[in-house]
C-alpha cells in the first residue's frame, strides 16, 4: 500500500507507513518502506533513521545512496560527500553507483562547488550511448549543472540527450529545452478562455451595432 501511494499521495503513504510500523517494526521491509515514505514527504531525519534500521536488519548497502541524500536534505552535504568515499559504494550494483554519483554531485552543488559537480558526473555511464534506467536522470543532472555554470550550448546538447533517453517522462528535459529555445507554451484552458472572451467581445460589438441601427 505504501509503495503504491508514494508517487500519487506521499502524505497518505506516510500515514499508512506509521500504522505499519506500529504493527511490524521488526520487519526490515516495513522499516524501508517507512523510510521512503518519510523521504517522499521531506522528513529526512526520520527517513534516515528508518533506512539505518533497515540496513542493520539486512546488512545490505542498497540504501546507501538514499541515506546520503537524506544527509543532503538535512543540510549536511559534507556528510553525503564522506559517504560517497566509503567502501560501501564499491559494493553497490551499477545502478546504485550511478545514484551515488548523482547524490555526490548534488552535494558538491550544495557546497557551491559547481565545477566539481560537473566533473563528478563525468563518467563512462554518462558517455555511453547505451540507454539504461538511470541514463535520462544522469544526462539531465549533467545538463542542469552545465547550465548553472553558464555553459548554455553544452547544456542544451545534454538536455536533448536526456530527452532521447527519457521514455517514461521521468524528467522535464523537454520543458528545459523549450525554455532554452525561447518557446512559450499557452495553456489550452487559457487559450479557450481567450477565445471565449474574444467571442464575447464580438457579440457585444454586434449588439451595439444593432442598437445603433434601431436608433436610426
Amino acid at each position: 500500500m505504501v509503495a503504491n501511494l508514494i508517487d500519487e499521495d506521499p502524505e497518505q503513504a506516510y500515514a499508512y507507513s506509521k500504522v505499519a510500523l506500529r504493527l511490524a517494526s521488526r520487519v526490515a521491509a516495513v522499516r524501508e518502506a517507512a523510510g521512503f515514505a518519510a523521504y517522499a514527504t521531506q522528513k529526512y531525519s526520520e527517513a534516515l533513521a528508518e533506512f539505518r534500521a533497515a540496513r542493520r536488519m539486512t546488512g545490505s548497502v542498497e540504501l546507501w545512496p538514499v541515506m546520503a541524500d537524506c544527509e543532503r536534505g538535512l543540510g549536511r552535504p559534507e556528510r553525503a560527500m564522506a559517504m560517497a568515499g566509503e567502501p560501501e559504494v564499491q559494493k553497490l550494483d551499477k545502478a546504485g553507483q550511478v545514484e551515488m554519483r548523482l547524490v555526490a554531485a548534488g552535494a558538491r552543488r550544495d557546497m557551491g562547488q559547481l565545477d566539481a559537480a560537473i566533473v563528478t558526473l563525468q563518467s563512462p555511464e554518462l558517455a555511453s550511448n547505451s540507454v539504461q534506467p538511470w541514463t535520462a536522470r544522469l544526462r539531465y543532472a549533467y545538463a542542469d549543472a552545465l547550465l548553472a555554470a553558464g555553459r548554455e550550448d553544452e547544456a542544451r546538447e545534454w538536455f536533448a540527450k536526456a530527452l532521447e533517453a527519457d521514455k517514461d517522462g521521468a524528467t522535464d528535459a523537454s520543458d528545459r529545452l523549450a525554455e532554452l529555445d525561447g518557446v512559450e507554451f499557452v495553456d489550452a484552458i487559457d487559450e479557450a478562455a481567450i477565445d471565449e472572451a474574444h467571442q464575447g467581445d464580438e457579440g457585444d460589438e454586434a449588439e451595439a451595432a444593432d442598437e445603433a441601427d434601431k436608433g436610426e
Side-chain angles (χ1 to χ4, degrees), residues 2-206:
V2 173
N4 292 336
L5 282 171
I6 279 182
D7 291 334
E8 297 177 6
D9 190 344
E11 290 292 345
Q12 188 64 46
Y14 176 74
Y16 276 118
S17 76
K18 301 302 286 185
V19 174
L21 279 174
R22 288 198 295 270
L23 298 174
S25 62
R26 295 184 180 182
V27 178
V30 170
R31 303 303 290 267
E32 181 177 331
F36 278 111
Y39 179 81
T41 52
Q42 299 183 2
K43 297 176 176 65
Y44 297 116
S45 181
E46 191 173 329
L48 186 56
E50 296 301 339
F51 289 142
R52 283 173 174 167
R55 183 168 179 265
R56 284 195 301 270
M57 292 176 180
T58 64
S60 171
V61 298
E62 182 181 350
L63 295 171
W64 196 252
V66 72
M67 289 168 62
D69 206 38
C70 285
E71 296 287 6
R72 284 187 62 213
L74 290 167
R76 302 191 294 240
E78 69 286 347
R79 292 195 186 183
M81 283 305 306
M83 291 179 69
E86 293 292 334
E88 282 82 356
V89 176
Q90 303 306 316
K91 300 175 185 177
L92 293 167
D93 61 13
K94 181 60 69 177
Q97 290 180 7
V98 170
E99 194 65 36
M100 192 71 240
R101 188 177 293 277
L102 287 166
V103 172
R108 290 289 191 190
R109 292 188 65 170
D110 294 343
M111 294 187 287
Q113 301 172 3
L114 190 52
D115 289 340
I118 290 172
V119 171
T120 298
L121 292 168
Q122 292 171 347
S123 61
E125 293 81 18
L126 180 68
S128 175
N129 290 324
S130 173
V131 175
Q132 302 296 333
W134 61 77
T135 302
R137 290 177 58 239
L138 183 59
R139 292 177 179 178
Y140 182 94
Y142 188 58
D144 192 50
L146 288 169
L147 186 60
R151 295 159 62 175
E152 187 171 308
D153 290 342
E154 293 174 84
R156 193 195 182 290
E157 175 188 350
W158 282 96
F159 276 128
K161 289 183 178 181
L163 183 59
E164 288 176 4
D166 193 359
K167 306 303 181 185
D168 301 322
T171 73
D172 64 346
S174 61
D175 293 340
R176 300 297 296 276
L177 273 173
E179 185 179 327
L180 286 171
D181 290 339
V183 177
E184 293 186 10
F185 295 102
V186 178
D187 192 293
I189 296 176
D190 293 340
E191 203 170 68
I194 292 171
D195 289 342
E196 185 177 337
H198 182 63
Q199 290 171 3
D201 291 340
E202 289 180 345
D204 290 341
E205 290 174 2

